[in-house]
């Protein structure tokens, strides 16, 4: 066989390839799992356009089947008026009866784009392994081995050899004699030997032999990456995070390397079929040529097929917004005489907090709750004392600048933590489920039996902090001075914007309580980097109770009463228990407060029981509370809580405007008072940080529902951990699975999350909102391209801001 010297890759072609790699959004690993919009890298385009293109590229679904919407219409969740409005938006004007009939006509999207492997599979005998399936399996297993975290020796060996993903794959594949046997294709492996070792040479060769012009190149490259979207997303995270500060990993564009592997497989199939079956190759080449020339037509065909689904989806969003807006404007807040509250409790904006906040406020008018981003503005990472263990405690969009470490540590706990981490890595490796039980024998079987009958909490070892410890804060290895701490505290208090201070100001982080849950971090605080918020609230309470810091704050114009104490607390979102931490001289929690918290817990549990287990509604408060704890401890429980399912709105307003309302645990609540923000700098920070995080959460839930195959992770009962913390396989192979499991979205009969785009309601002047949107491209893109809805809420009047115009919300 003659080896052809490839042409040089032009700068324009290189840019097109890099642009294709940039269309993949990052997905965080298991130990710091946070919600992310899987289409984040495409928000510069209109949502509807992205829906059309992804449907054409990879058959991706951004809407539910029409039958689901029709059911909601018959149940009254979608109104006829909303359906007519949505149809008008898409320039469809019919009578209600004709419209309903038109929108329920079956419309099947045409076959999406087919890669070379897919075209070859159309002609492949049924008794032979699918090209597509073997490529996915081989590439996925190789990526797991290349990036695995439980084998430092192998990982270091790859780094020492300075092999990028593509080069390492080519080296290993050239030694793999089994591919020819598995595929039933003699001498297949010979064709891998002829591939160039350079990624750019491989790209140039493939572009030439597959006759890819600029339009087809970008489309094709994106399709190849979407075909193995799970690994593409994890490698996009490595690019995003610069390899977790690993210099060697940071040097590589990991997604580009994965693209090179996928394109190398395509080239091998193309050449192999040309060599072994010219007639088959010619048939595939004819389909390939026709497909490349018809890309615009393909996208248009998908656009036409998706129109009815888009109308139904928009009608559902209009109906949901109409119901919420009626709630926001129908009932006036009760007039309450302004008094200094006995308790101020500042919660994360998480939708799960809304249920507990409402329950707590019912205990007394002397309780004031507020909503703030759950990391409380602390730009920290937590590093356990006397340990190498470190983790971020802030949103994934931000980088930590300060390290928080306990002043004292429990040496026994540190040693136990490190041993448990090693055990955890072994026990959760993909092949370990059988080998662990076999190796440990009856002892391990007894442990599982004991945990089933006498369940107890299984806590992440890093959350067992030394009791009553102080904190050391350092920046680049240098301890913060008292003035540094005061400056940090003032910045946080300025954003909290408290005008009065109660005798007790409670800083409430949140965490979850689950056992045997590989996606446990996804139920923790997303604003804390997929961790419990415990570290943040304990560090901040320690900071604000420091007498030296308080003195400096007073000199800086921040007057905190001397009798005010800041108390760190943690809201367990699975059981609705609230735990207070008595550190650095904080006041003991008196019986009145303890009773308030317990009664709030009972109320919140009763509300959540309706969705979790309706049989608990008819039990006593104490029995129900025990049942919640038992569910949390149960290692076989697949949905101990619903997380942020059914979120649909983000309200930026003073709490007194919503305190009297039942928002059903569906709204993110961020306190904001425009009268205390003269330059609207606080509002700007909310719209450029918390709003983005809430959008990420909303879109992850939405797309995990509409296309769980691409953007969800299937059945969690079948999950196996990959490479320690990288992610999960569903079973023992296939692509890396990302997003949410079906058990986090459905109770087996109905969806627990309604896929509607986030609606943001802001109590602020129109001019300020418009100015901030115009200043930040990402904000204007989210609004104008239809990735979320943005409204101004002023009394009974709600208006939508869209493409620089204000329009009345109907």
């Amino acid at each position: 066989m003659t080896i052809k010297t490839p042409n040089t890759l032009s700068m324009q072609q290189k840019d097109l390839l890099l642009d294709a790699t940039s269309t993949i959004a990052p997905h965080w690993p298991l130990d710091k799992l946070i919600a992310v919009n899987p289409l984040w890298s495409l928000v510069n385009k209109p949502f509807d356009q992205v829906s059309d293109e992804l449907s054409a590229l990879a058959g991706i679904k951004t809407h539910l089947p029409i039958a689901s919407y029709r059911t909601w219409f018959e149940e009254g969740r979608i109104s006829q008026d909303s359906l007519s409005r949505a149809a008008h938006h898409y320039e469809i004007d019919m009578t209600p009866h004709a419209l309903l009939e038109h929108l329920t006509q079956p419309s099947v999207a045409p076959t999406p784009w087919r890669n070379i492997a897919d075209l070859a599979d159309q002609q492949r005998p049924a008794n032979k392994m699918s090209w597509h399936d073997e490529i996915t399996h081989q590439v996925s297993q190789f990526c797991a081995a290349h990036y695995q975290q439980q084998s430092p020796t192998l990982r270091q060996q790859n780094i020492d050899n300075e092999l990028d993903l593509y080069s390492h794959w080519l080296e290993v594949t050239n030694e793999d004699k089994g591919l020819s046997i598995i595929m039933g294709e003699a001498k297949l492996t010979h064709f891998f030997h002829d591939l160039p070792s350079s990624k750019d040479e491989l790209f140039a060769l493939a572009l030439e032999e597959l006759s890819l012009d600029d339009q087809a190149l970008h489309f094709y490259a994106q399709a190849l990456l979407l075909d193995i979207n799970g690994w593409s997303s994890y490698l996009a995270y490595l690019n995003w995070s610069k390899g977790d500060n690993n210099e060697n990993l940071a040097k590589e564009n990991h997604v580009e390397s994965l693209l090179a592997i996928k394109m190398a497989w395509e080239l091998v199939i193309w050449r192999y079929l040309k060599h072994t079956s010219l007639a088959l190759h010619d048939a595939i080449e004819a389909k390939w040529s026709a497909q490349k020339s018809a890309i615009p037509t393909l996208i248009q065909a998908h656009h036409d097929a998706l129109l009815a689904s888009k109308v139904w989806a928009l009608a559902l969003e209009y109906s949901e917004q109409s119901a919420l807006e009626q709630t926001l404007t129908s009932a006036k807040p009760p007039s309450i005489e302004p008094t200094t509250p006995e308790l101020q409790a500042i919660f994360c904006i998480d939708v799960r907090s809304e249920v507990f906040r409402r329950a707590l406020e019912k205990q007394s008018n002397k309780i004031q709750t507020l909503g703030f981003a759950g990391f409380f503005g602390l730009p920290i990472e937590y590093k356990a004392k006397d340990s190498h263990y470190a983790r971020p405690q802030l949103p994934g969009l931000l980088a930590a600048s300060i390290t928080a470490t306990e002043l004292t540590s429990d040496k026994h706990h540190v040693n136990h933590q490190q041993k448990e981490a090693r055990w955890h890595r072994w026990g959760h490796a993909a092949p370990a489920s059988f080998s662990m039980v076999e190796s440990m024998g009856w002892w391990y079987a007894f442990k599982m039996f004991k945990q089933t009958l006498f369940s107890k909490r299984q806590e992440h070892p890093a959350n067992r902090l030394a009791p009553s410890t102080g904190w050391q804060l350092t920046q680049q290895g240098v301890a913060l001075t008292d003035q540094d701490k005061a400056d940090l505290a003032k910045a946080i208090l300025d954003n909290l914007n408290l005008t009065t201070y109660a005798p007790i100001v409670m800083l409430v982080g949140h965490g979850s309580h689950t056992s045997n849950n590989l996606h446990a971090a996804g139920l923790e605080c997303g604003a804390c980097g997929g961790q419990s918020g415990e570290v943040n609230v304990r560090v901040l309470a320690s900071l604000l109770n420091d007498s030296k810091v308080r003195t400096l704050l007073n000199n800086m114009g921040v007057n905190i009463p001397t009798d005010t104490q800041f108390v760190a607390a943690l809201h367990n979102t699975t059981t609705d228990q609230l735990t207070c931490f008595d550190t650095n001289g904080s006041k003991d929690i008196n019986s009145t407060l303890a009773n308030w918290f317990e009664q709030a817990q009972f109320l919140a549990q009763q509300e959540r029981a309706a969705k979790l287990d309706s049989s608990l509604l008819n039990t006593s408060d104490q029995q129900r509370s025990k049942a919640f704890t038992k569910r949390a401890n149960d290692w076989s429980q697949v949905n101990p809580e619903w997380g942020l399912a059914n979120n649909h709105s983000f309200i930026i307003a003073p709490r007194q405007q919503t305190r009297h309302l039942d928002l059903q645990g569906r709204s993110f609540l961020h306190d904001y008072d425009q009268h205390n923000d003269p330059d609207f700098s606080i509002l700007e920070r909310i719209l450029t940080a918390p709003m983005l995080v809430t959008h990420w959460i909303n879109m992850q839930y939405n797309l995990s529902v509409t296309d769980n195959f691409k953007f969800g992770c299937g059945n969690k009962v079948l999950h196996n951990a990959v490479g320690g913390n990288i992610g999960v396989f569903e079973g023992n192979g296939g692509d890396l699975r990302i997003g949410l499991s079906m058990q986090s979205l459905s109770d087996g009969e109905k969806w627990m999350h309604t896929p509607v785009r986030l609606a943001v309601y802001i109590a602020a002047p129109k001019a300020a909102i418009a100015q901030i949107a115009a200043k930040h491209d990402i904000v204007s893109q989210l609004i104008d391209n239809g990735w979320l809805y943005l409204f101004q809420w002023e009394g009974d009047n709600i208006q939508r801001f869209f493409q620089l115009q204000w329009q009345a919300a109907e």
Side-chain angles (χ1 to χ4, degrees):
M1 180 183 301
T2 302
I3 301 177
K4 189 171 183 180
T5 303
N7 294 331
T8 303
L9 196 65
S10 71
M11 287 299 297
Q12 184 170 348
Q13 290 170 328
K14 181 72 172 178
D15 289 343
L16 287 168
L17 289 167
L18 291 175
D19 186 54
T21 66
S22 70
T23 61
I24 304 297
H27 188 269
W28 269 249
L30 294 177
D31 62 335
K32 44 178 97 62
L33 190 65
I34 60 173
V36 61
N37 173 7
L39 306 179
W40 177 247
S41 301
L42 300 171
V43 296
N44 61 318
K45 296 180 179 180
F47 177 76
D48 280 352
Q49 179 184 335
V50 171
S51 297
D52 298 339
E53 292 177 354
L54 292 183
S55 180
L57 268 170
I60 287 171
K61 306 174 187 68
T62 58
H63 306 94
L64 286 173
I66 289 175
S68 296
Y69 296 115
R70 180 63 190 264
T71 298
W72 283 330
F73 178 80
E74 293 169 351
E75 294 173 350
R77 288 194 63 186
I78 298 177
S79 68
Q80 180 65 59
D81 178 63
S82 294
L83 190 61
S84 298
R85 284 179 56 208
H88 180 72
H89 174 83
Y90 287 104
E91 300 180 347
I92 301 174
D93 293 304
M94 297 180 178
T95 64
H97 178 75
L99 177 63
L100 191 60
E101 184 175 347
H102 174 71
L103 293 177
T104 52
Q105 294 297 319
S107 180
V108 180
T111 301
W113 172 274
R114 290 288 182 254
N115 298 323
I116 300 296
D118 302 317
L119 295 175
D121 277 337
Q122 291 176 353
Q123 309 295 327
R124 193 155 177 80
N127 64 339
K128 284 192 172 184
M129 171 71 78
S130 157
W131 287 109
H132 176 273
D133 291 350
E134 174 55 23
I135 292 170
T136 300
H137 181 77
Q138 192 251 7
V139 174
S140 185
Q141 294 290 323
F142 175 78
C143 286
H146 182 82
Y147 292 108
Q148 63 182 317
Q149 297 176 7
Q150 77 272 26
S151 178
T153 302
L154 180 57
R155 189 171 184 181
Q156 188 60 48
Q157 184 181 32
N158 296 340
I159 292 172
D160 292 342
N161 293 337
E162 295 185 352
L163 292 175
D164 62 22
L165 180 68
Y166 170 73
S167 300
H168 189 201
W169 169 83
L170 185 60
E171 181 182 276
V172 171
T173 303
N174 278 331
E175 299 298 323
D176 187 355
K177 309 301 181 185
L179 283 175
S180 293
I181 299 172
I182 293 172
M183 299 305 299
E185 304 290 350
K187 299 182 179 180
L188 172 65
T189 53
H190 295 180
F191 288 79
F192 290 98
H193 296 305
D194 297 327
L195 295 174
S197 58
S198 161
K199 285 187 291 187
D200 283 355
E201 289 182 14
L202 180 281
F203 287 135
L205 192 61
L207 267 55
E208 180 186 14
E209 293 195 28
L210 300 180
S211 303
L212 292 162
D213 60 21
D214 288 351
Q215 181 190 49
L217 172 58
H218 186 276
F219 200 80
Y220 175 48
Q222 191 176 355
L224 286 174
L225 291 171
L226 288 171
D227 193 46
I228 192 163
N229 184 59
W231 279 108
S232 297
S233 300
Y234 174 71
L235 301 192
Y237 160 76
L238 292 183
N239 286 349
W240 177 293
S241 65
K242 306 302 182 193
D244 283 334
N245 298 318
N246 184 307
E247 183 178 349
N248 296 83
L249 289 175
K251 291 177 182 178
E252 181 182 355
N253 183 328
H254 302 271
V255 182
E256 182 187 43
S257 295
L258 181 63
L259 176 60
I261 294 173
K262 288 283 289 181
M263 203 171 286
W265 258 109
E266 296 271 289
L267 186 59
V268 164
I269 296 172
W270 181 265
R271 287 175 165 184
Y272 179 77
L273 294 179
K274 188 174 185 179
H275 179 74
T276 58
S277 177
L278 189 58
L280 177 57
H281 177 273
D282 288 347
I284 291 173
E285 185 173 20
K287 292 181 179 180
W288 178 244
S289 297
Q291 183 179 240
K292 287 185 297 181
S293 62
I295 290 174
T297 303
L298 179 64
I299 295 174
Q300 182 61 45
H302 281 259
H303 167 82
D304 296 340
L306 292 175
L307 183 57
S309 295
K310 291 176 184 176
V311 173
W312 279 110
L314 184 59
L316 176 62
E317 291 171 337
Y318 283 161
S319 295
E320 293 269 304
Q321 290 165 14
S322 177
L324 176 60
E325 288 161 12
Q326 185 175 5
T327 298
L328 294 178
T329 59
S330 60
K332 300 297 182 184
S335 56
I336 301 175
E337 289 296 325
T339 59
T340 301
E342 290 184 12
L343 170 68
Q344 289 171 312
I346 307 173
F347 287 79
C348 180
I349 63 175
D350 191 296
V351 296
R352 293 169 291 182
S353 299
E354 190 271 336
V355 175
F356 190 88
R357 288 177 62 183
R358 185 161 27 90
L360 181 59
E361 289 166 342
K362 287 181 179 179
Q363 306 310 309
S364 172
N365 287 334
K366 297 178 181 179
I367 298 173
Q368 179 187 20
T369 76
L370 301 99
F372 193 70
F375 76 117
F376 285 89
L378 283 169
I380 62 172
E381 65 174 0
Y382 163 62
K383 187 176 186 301
K385 187 174 177 59
D386 301 322
S387 171
H388 294 298
Y389 181 84
R391 70 186 191 193
Q393 292 285 155
L394 74 173
L397 289 165
L398 305 176
S401 59
I402 296 172
T403 299
T405 305
E406 305 100 317
L407 285 175
T408 60
S409 70
D410 183 335
K411 294 289 182 68
H412 173 75
H413 161 62
V414 171
N415 292 333
H416 178 70
Q417 174 184 312
Q418 292 171 340
K419 288 178 181 178
E420 189 164 332
R422 288 193 292 272
W423 172 268
H424 180 83
R425 286 197 298 268
W426 179 42
H428 288 82
S433 54
F434 296 107
S435 62
M436 184 194 297
V437 176
E438 182 176 334
S439 301
M440 302 310 297
W442 287 106
W443 178 81
Y444 192 76
F446 173 75
K447 282 195 68 177
M448 291 194 297
F449 180 69
K450 181 181 177 183
Q451 181 66 11
T452 301
L453 295 182
F454 309 103
S455 59
K456 64 179 182 178
R457 181 169 187 176
Q458 295 182 339
E459 190 175 33
H460 192 297
N463 286 340
R464 304 184 196 126
L465 305 179
S468 302
T469 184
W471 294 90
Q472 181 181 40
L473 302 180
T474 59
Q475 193 164 31
Q476 297 180 340
V478 179
L480 266 62
T481 65
D482 290 335
Q483 185 61 56
D484 293 333
K485 294 176 183 178
D487 291 339
L488 176 62
K490 184 178 185 303
I492 293 170
L493 292 173
D494 284 347
N495 286 327
L496 286 173
N497 221 332
L498 294 176
T499 54
T500 60
Y501 291 89
I504 294 179
V505 179
M506 187 169 292
L507 309 169
V508 188
H510 67 89
S512 68
H513 177 170
T514 61
S515 297
N516 189 35
N517 184 2
L518 290 172
H519 286 97
L523 295 175
E524 302 283 8
C525 179
C528 298
Q531 314 297 334
S532 156
E534 179 180 340
V535 169
N536 295 67
V537 294
R538 291 180 69 170
V539 168
L540 184 55
S542 174
L543 192 68
L544 294 176
N545 287 327
D546 187 313
S547 59
K548 294 180 181 178
V549 171
R550 292 274 276 266
T551 299
L552 290 168
L553 284 172
N554 187 64
N555 295 336
M556 298 163 73
V558 179
N559 299 310
I560 303 173
T562 56
D563 65 340
T564 291
Q565 290 293 325
F566 293 86
V567 177
L570 191 70
H571 171 216
N572 185 324
T573 57
T574 313
T575 64
D576 277 309
Q577 294 171 323
L578 193 144
T579 303
C580 297
F581 304 102
D582 184 17
T583 60
N584 295 319
S586 295
K587 288 185 176 179
D588 290 333
I589 301 303
N590 60 42
S591 59
T592 300
L593 292 179
N595 183 63
W596 285 348
F597 299 153
E598 182 180 54
Q599 294 304 313
Q601 174 189 335
F602 292 156
L603 273 179
Q605 288 175 337
Q606 184 177 33
E607 181 172 333
R608 297 196 206 273
K611 294 180 180 179
L612 274 176
D613 185 351
S614 58
S615 67
L616 298 177
L617 292 173
N618 299 321
T619 61
S620 69
D621 290 338
Q622 296 293 345
Q623 289 174 322
R624 189 183 306 116
S625 183
K626 289 179 180 178
F628 267 74
T629 301
K630 184 176 180 180
R631 285 177 62 91
N633 289 335
D634 185 358
W635 65 269
S636 64
Q637 179 59 250
V638 293
N639 51 0
E641 66 161 282
W642 286 116
L644 295 98
N646 226 24
N647 70 82
H648 74 346
S649 57
F650 181 26
I651 300 174
I652 305 168
R655 175 56 175 163
Q656 59 262 33
Q657 291 187 209
T658 58
R659 179 168 175 149
H660 61 296
L661 304 176
D662 180 355
L663 297 173
Q664 303 176 338
R666 303 188 66 190
S667 299
F668 300 93
L669 298 177
H670 199 302
D671 265 76
Y672 174 73
D673 188 340
Q674 59 177 300
H675 302 102
N676 298 327
D677 186 25
D679 61 356
F680 302 106
S681 59
I682 296 175
L683 179 62
E684 182 175 4
R685 285 192 285 272
I686 295 173
L687 296 186
T688 54
M691 188 178 78
L692 271 57
V693 172
T694 57
H695 160 74
W696 276 21
I697 294 168
N698 172 258
M699 287 305 297
Q700 184 188 60
Y701 273 85
N702 290 353
L703 295 170
S704 290
V705 168
T706 60
D707 197 332
N708 197 262
F709 179 71
K710 279 294 181 186
F711 300 128
C713 59
N715 186 350
K716 72 187 300 183
V717 176
L718 304 178
H719 286 171
N720 279 295
V722 179
N725 285 320
I726 290 175
V728 297
F729 284 151
E730 188 180 13
N732 65 352
D735 191 11
L736 194 71
R737 299 305 302 267
I738 63 173
L740 298 160
S741 69
M742 288 299 294
Q743 287 87 347
S744 294
L745 304 163
S746 169
D747 66 358
E749 296 180 358
K750 64 181 182 298
W751 292 114
M752 300 303 291
H753 176 75
T754 307
V756 293
R757 285 169 286 184
L758 188 73
V760 182
Y761 294 86
I762 308 173
K766 293 177 185 176
I769 296 171
Q771 185 176 14
I772 293 169
K775 182 178 177 181
H776 297 278
D777 288 343
I778 189 61
V779 175
S780 61
Q781 287 172 356
L782 291 173
I783 298 168
D784 295 340
N785 289 334
W787 292 90
L788 54 73
Y789 298 85
L790 190 138
F791 301 91
Q792 187 224 27
W793 174 28
E794 186 175 12
D796 294 338
N797 185 35
I798 295 178
Q799 290 194 313
R800 182 185 176 191
F801 183 61
F802 179 64
Q803 295 184 344
L804 306 180
Q805 299 293 323
W806 289 97
Q807 49 193 248
E810 299 180 29

